[in-house]
């Protein structure tokens, strides 16, 4: 009787970036949660992140054609735009920030963001549709959070 060569099932989904975004809701209101797995932190910073020392700096461009990108940079707490981190499971970290656009009430589950580039300081990730800010009207000035 011939033997049957049993092979493993190929993985249906590719390994993700380890950087996720979710919409949460608490008594204080809605917030956006950005999460990084330990592997994603090692890729971005070259080491696991320490919530006591490390922070994130998040930047979103509201220019038409660029409003789908989120830049993530690892900074120290001394940076004026530093967002503190919280410890997560298995070495991961996350931060919570105010919503930068109006979204429907409720929660949205965590979703991985695709990496689309970056420079030596920050890495760019593609935001899901619900998290993309409206493009800045021509001639408008000022910060997105001040409008």
């Amino acid at each position: 009787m011939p033997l049957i060569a049993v092979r493993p099932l190929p993985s249906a989904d590719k390994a993700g970036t380890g950087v996720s975004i979710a919409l949460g809701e608490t008594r204080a209101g809605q917030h956006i949660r950005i999460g990084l797995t330990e592997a994603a932190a090692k890729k971005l910073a070259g080491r696991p992140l320490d919530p006591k020392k490390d922070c994130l700096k998040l930047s979103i461009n509201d220019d038409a054609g660029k409003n789908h990108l989120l830049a993530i940079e690892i900074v120290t707490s001394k940076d004026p735009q530093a967002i503190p981190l919280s410890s997560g499971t298995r070495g991961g970290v996350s931060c919570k920030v105010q919503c930068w656009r109006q979204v429907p009430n409720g929660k949205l589950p965590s979703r991985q963001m695709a990496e689309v580039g970056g420079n030596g300081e920050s890495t760019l990730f593609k935001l899901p549709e619900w998290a993309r800010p409206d493009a800045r009207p021509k001639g408008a000035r000022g910060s997105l959070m001040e409008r």
Side-chain angles (χ1 to χ4, degrees):
M1 169 195 265
L3 295 175
I4 298 173
V6 179
R7 290 183 255 151
L9 181 67
S11 177
D13 49 32
K14 299 176 183 173
T17 60
V19 179
S20 62
I21 186 169
L23 180 66
E25 194 168 31
T26 62
R27 284 186 285 218
Q30 285 183 310
H31 62 270
I32 292 176
R33 180 189 163 280
I34 306 291
L36 283 80
T37 63
E38 184 177 21
K42 285 180 180 177
K43 184 177 178 189
L44 294 177
R47 59 181 170 73
L49 295 178
D50 181 356
K52 294 176 184 169
K53 299 176 187 173
D54 299 312
C55 296
L56 293 184
K57 178 178 173 182
L58 306 175
S59 306
I60 301 172
N61 193 332
D62 62 352
D63 290 341
K66 294 182 182 178
N67 64 330
H68 65 289
L69 300 175
L70 170 69
I72 298 179
E73 185 177 342
I74 310 300
V75 296
T76 65
S77 58
K78 294 177 183 175
D79 189 296
Q81 295 176 332
I83 300 169
L85 293 170
S86 299
S87 297
T89 58
R90 295 186 223 136
V93 294
S94 66
C95 68
K96 292 180 182 176
V97 296
Q98 294 177 355
C99 292
W100 49 76
R101 67 164 299 171
Q102 190 169 356
V103 290
N105 288 338
K107 298 178 181 181
L108 290 173
S110 181
R111 176 178 175 182
Q112 291 215 34
M113 295 185 287
E115 184 178 337
V116 292
N119 55 32
E121 295 179 5
S122 62
T123 306
L124 297 174
F125 294 90
K126 188 174 181 180
L127 289 167
E129 280 295 327
W130 66 264
R132 295 177 184 178
D134 296 328
R136 180 189 317 214
K138 265 192 166 180
R141 295 180 182 219
S143 167
L144 172 68
M145 297 300 279
E146 294 171 359
R147 281 191 246 146

